[in-house]
Amino acid sequence: MRQIKAQKLTVEAFAPYGSFCNITDPQGFHMGDFYRDQVVMHVSGEHNMAFSPMIMHKTDHMLVQKVEYHNSTCEGIVSMDDDIVIHVAPASPDPVPQLTEAFLVPKGTMVRLNLGTWHCGGYALHQPQAHVLVVLPERIYKNDCTVVEYDEKDWMEIVL
């Protein structure tokens, strides 16, 4: 039987076969805690899917101060190493903070947000940080991402 030696995963060695990134220790260009488009995958049609690490932090107060939505795509979110708390509100032409709900998402559980769902980041529940994988079309955060900062009167705190 022929034997092959397993080798270290490096960009150079793996380039003929694909690409990769470390979700729990992201490197490279980032926008705050969002490491955009680290692995891009062509699926069909005109758009590529992008896999982007994001770090969610545990905080003393889980405050919702802003939201975002995407008109043309759903969004996938999966926490790799801690349970997380996310907040969502139904799709609507204008923000609807009064309809916001929060959910506990167990680590390893993938969540798909529908088109237009208001959301923004989330919070680690037990560890100081949760390493999260976000799945969106490549560059959607530049091409289709509406962000709204709430007036202070509309801020809310998520409680367990």
Side-chain angles (χ1 to χ4, degrees):
M1 175 184 309
R2 184 170 80 99
Q3 292 184 332
I4 59 172
K5 182 174 171 75
Q7 59 184 300
K8 182 178 179 182
L9 184 65
T10 66
V11 171
E12 298 79 20
F14 198 70
Y17 310 105
S19 60
F20 63 92
C21 77
N22 185 330
I23 302 302
T24 60
D25 185 23
Q27 304 292 314
F29 184 80
H30 57 94
M31 298 157 50
D33 288 325
F34 180 69
Y35 291 75
R36 56 112 182 118
D37 300 348
Q38 295 291 295
V39 173
V40 175
M41 182 174 75
H42 179 75
V43 286
S44 70
E46 299 176 15
H47 299 285
N48 293 321
M49 291 306 296
F51 299 82
S52 304
M54 182 168 69
I55 299 169
M56 291 184 184
H57 299 274
K58 182 177 182 178
T59 60
D60 291 334
H61 301 282
M62 295 182 279
L63 298 178
V64 178
Q65 299 173 315
K66 66 180 178 178
V67 289
E68 68 179 45
Y69 73 92
H70 314 287
N71 254 339
S72 63
T73 185
C74 296
E75 179 170 334
I77 302 168
V78 61
S79 177
M80 309 304 288
D81 54 5
D82 193 11
D83 301 335
I84 59 173
V85 177
I86 63 169
H87 59 87
V88 292
S92 63
D94 297 307
V96 285
Q98 70 279 8
L99 299 179
T100 300
E101 296 187 76
F103 292 91
L104 298 166
V105 180
K107 72 178 175 181
T109 301
M110 176 125 188
V111 185
R112 178 187 50 83
L113 301 179
N114 291 333
L115 290 173
T117 295
W118 292 96
H119 67 284
C120 194
Y123 300 93
L125 193 56
H126 306 292
Q127 305 300 322
Q129 296 179 335
H131 297 92
V132 177
L133 178 63
V134 176
V135 182
L136 285 165
E138 184 179 21
R139 292 187 50 77
I140 205 70
Y141 50 86
K142 280 299 250 186
N143 301 321
D144 176 18
C145 184
T146 300
V147 179
V148 174
E149 294 194 26
Y150 286 146
D151 292 332
E152 192 170 347
K153 67 177 178 51
D154 291 322
W155 290 3
M156 63 205 82
E157 182 178 11
I158 299 169
V159 295
L160 300 177

